[in-house]
Amino acid sequence: MLKTMIRSTFGALLALLATAAGTAAQDRLAERLDSTTLRAVEALLDRATADGIAAGPLRNKALEGAGKGAAGPAIVHAVEGLYLRMDAAKRALGGKATPDEQVAGAALLDFGVDTVALATLREAAADRSTTSALVGLAFLVQRGVPASRSVPLVRRMLEARATEADFATFQKLVDEDVRAGLPAAGAADARGRAIIRHGASLRSREQPEA
Amino acid sequence: MSLPVDESGLPAGVVDELRRLPAVDPAARDRLRVALAGQHRPRGTIVLSPLQAALAACALVVATSLVWIAGTSGDRVSAHRDAAMAARDGVPVIIGAGLTPVQFVLVAPEARSVALVGDFNAWTPDASLLTRGEGGVWSIVVPLTQGTFAYSFIVDGAEWRADPRATFTTDDFGRPSSLLYVSPET
């Protein structure tokens, strides 16, 4: 009886706080968007929630558009585009893809990495989060490392059980190498191999292994 | 004569039958959408049992107190609280609990002002202004929850710049942005 009361209290408290926060975020949308755009965005948010797509990033995309002074139709188009990419990423990464994985996967799809690659990385990660790996992969692709090279590299790192901290270190080291004049693909290969072998104990002063 | 039983003590095959999942109806999604279209429940409605309703009244007092305490901590902290709340999908945050300080840096010797805008401050230009350091290195530290955040810099109130050291996001509005992931391991 006591456990039930405690659980009920905790659940009610969380529900109230979550409703307050969600209402606050919704109020911000209402302040920044005209009524037509707001209705269209809210319909997309409702559809996303029903389909298991995280609504927060979609709401943030609408606020981003408002902050950048975009017109209503452009905002709706952007939110819809993100919804479709997140939906495709969620299907490729599996039904239990977290909101962060949906966002990171959506970014990759927009930069030319396909859903087969996402599914491959999901398999390599097993039950671990893929978010850091996906963000790191997007970083490589944007720096000019072709997906045909960067996807297998990231897959091998996941298979070697590289952690989220490993991927954060990897991205930082590759960025430093590129700024020092090394080609991105070569830096990624070298740093990736080292991470697989040694994990995050590498320090930035170390030169990439041959 | 008695039926053969398995290790569960039940007749053989009964457990397997119980464990077999029902087939998913492919038309379920369409029925759900139709059902949602017909729903007119006001946004934010919560259904509670009588016991939960009584406890919710007590919880409301506690929640109000917490929000009041957080709200009296100053404009900058309040902005960060609002920003952290905006960044998550309806999950509230109390300053100091589960936040990671993240430093944002932009080298812009020619700039007179640099603002940081992003998912964590509802893309509000004056919420997070960077401080200029030696050599035109602008920086700010922002407490963030775990998660993914799109962000950008605004130089001199007009020029939008992505973070050159971070992953870029989709440029939907002709103004570049970057993507940050704060992991639970950070």
Side-chain angles (χ1 to χ4, degrees):
Chain A
M1 177 67 179
L2 178 62
K3 279 186 185 174
T4 303
M5 287 176 62
I6 291 172
R7 253 185 250 130
S8 297
T9 304
F10 188 65
L13 175 62
L14 280 181
L16 281 166
L17 290 176
T19 300
T23 303
Q26 206 58 32
D27 288 343
R28 257 187 294 275
L29 272 184
E31 287 168 15
R32 309 277 286 273
L33 304 178
D34 61 71
S35 56
T36 302
T37 305
L38 179 65
R39 267 199 306 276
V41 169
E42 284 180 338
L44 283 167
L45 295 179
D46 287 342
R47 193 167 99 190
T49 301
D51 290 345
I53 307 299
L58 300 175
R59 197 177 286 121
N60 287 335
K61 176 61 73 173
L63 288 172
E64 177 188 344
K68 290 181 174 178
I75 293 174
V76 173
H77 182 75
V79 174
E80 197 169 63
L82 179 59
Y83 162 79
L84 291 171
R85 290 194 302 276
M86 287 176 67
D87 186 44
K90 174 175 166 282
R91 291 169 194 275
L93 292 169
K96 292 184 180 174
T98 64
D100 294 328
E101 286 178 319
Q102 293 174 22
V103 169
L108 273 173
L109 291 176
D110 198 46
F111 288 112
V113 176
D114 60 25
T115 52
V116 173
L118 293 185
T120 299
L121 297 178
R122 170 78 274 159
E123 189 184 355
D127 56 352
R128 291 170 291 130
S129 170
T130 57
T131 309
S132 203
L134 296 176
V135 173
L137 176 58
F139 179 84
L140 293 181
V141 170
Q142 291 165 5
R143 269 33 178 207
V145 183
S148 57
R149 284 184 72 168
S150 51
V151 170
L153 172 63
V154 171
R155 190 191 70 233
R156 287 199 302 276
M157 292 173 71
L158 285 169
E159 288 169 347
R161 302 194 68 81
T163 64
E164 299 216 308
D166 289 338
F167 278 106
T169 299
F170 169 73
Q171 184 174 330
K172 179 173 177 293
L173 292 175
V174 171
D175 179 59
E176 289 179 2
D177 291 338
V178 169
R179 288 175 178 278
L182 274 67
D189 279 343
R191 294 300 188 181
R193 276 189 278 114
I195 289 282
I196 289 169
R197 214 172 295 154
H198 302 292
S201 61
L202 293 176
R203 295 291 177 266
S204 61
R205 289 193 191 84
E206 293 183 14
Q207 292 299 311
E209 295 181 15
Chain B
M1 183 180 78
S2 61
L3 293 171
V5 297
D6 59 19
E7 63 275 8
S8 68
L10 291 172
V14 170
V15 173
D16 287 336
E17 189 60 37
L18 289 171
R19 282 177 179 156
R20 186 174 305 139
L21 296 172
V24 175
D25 182 356
R29 178 188 290 270
D30 291 334
R31 287 204 300 274
L32 177 61
R33 283 182 174 151
V34 169
L36 284 170
Q39 276 185 337
H40 296 289
R41 192 169 71 180
R43 186 178 296 276
T45 297
I46 301 174
V47 179
L48 299 173
S49 69
L51 175 62
Q52 287 175 332
L55 293 169
C58 300
L60 180 60
V61 173
V62 173
T64 304
S65 303
L66 288 172
V67 170
W68 178 81
I69 290 169
T72 54
S73 301
D75 285 345
R76 180 178 284 274
V77 170
S78 178
H80 287 160
R81 171 176 60 82
D82 288 343
M85 289 172 70
R88 304 311 300 144
D89 192 9
V91 176
V93 171
I94 306 298
I95 287 293
L99 295 177
T100 300
V102 178
Q103 185 178 36
F104 294 84
V105 176
L106 181 71
V107 179
E110 76 290 356
R112 292 184 301 278
S113 71
V114 179
L116 175 69
V117 290
D119 292 341
F120 39 77
N121 64 12
W123 296 85
T124 307
D126 55 357
S128 304
L129 297 175
L130 278 70
T131 302
R132 184 188 176 105
E134 197 159 323
V137 177
W138 297 78
S139 68
I140 185 173
V141 175
V142 179
L144 296 177
T145 59
Q146 178 261 323
T148 48
F149 303 93
Y151 67 98
S152 189
F153 298 106
I154 306 178
V155 177
D156 293 339
E159 182 193 352
W160 289 71
R161 290 191 198 174
D163 187 340
R165 308 195 66 145
T167 303
F168 303 135
T169 65
T170 306
D171 184 5
D172 286 307
F173 307 109
R175 290 171 165 169
S177 301
S178 303
L179 183 66
L180 167 71
Y181 173 54
V182 179
S183 86
E185 298 179 17
T186 306

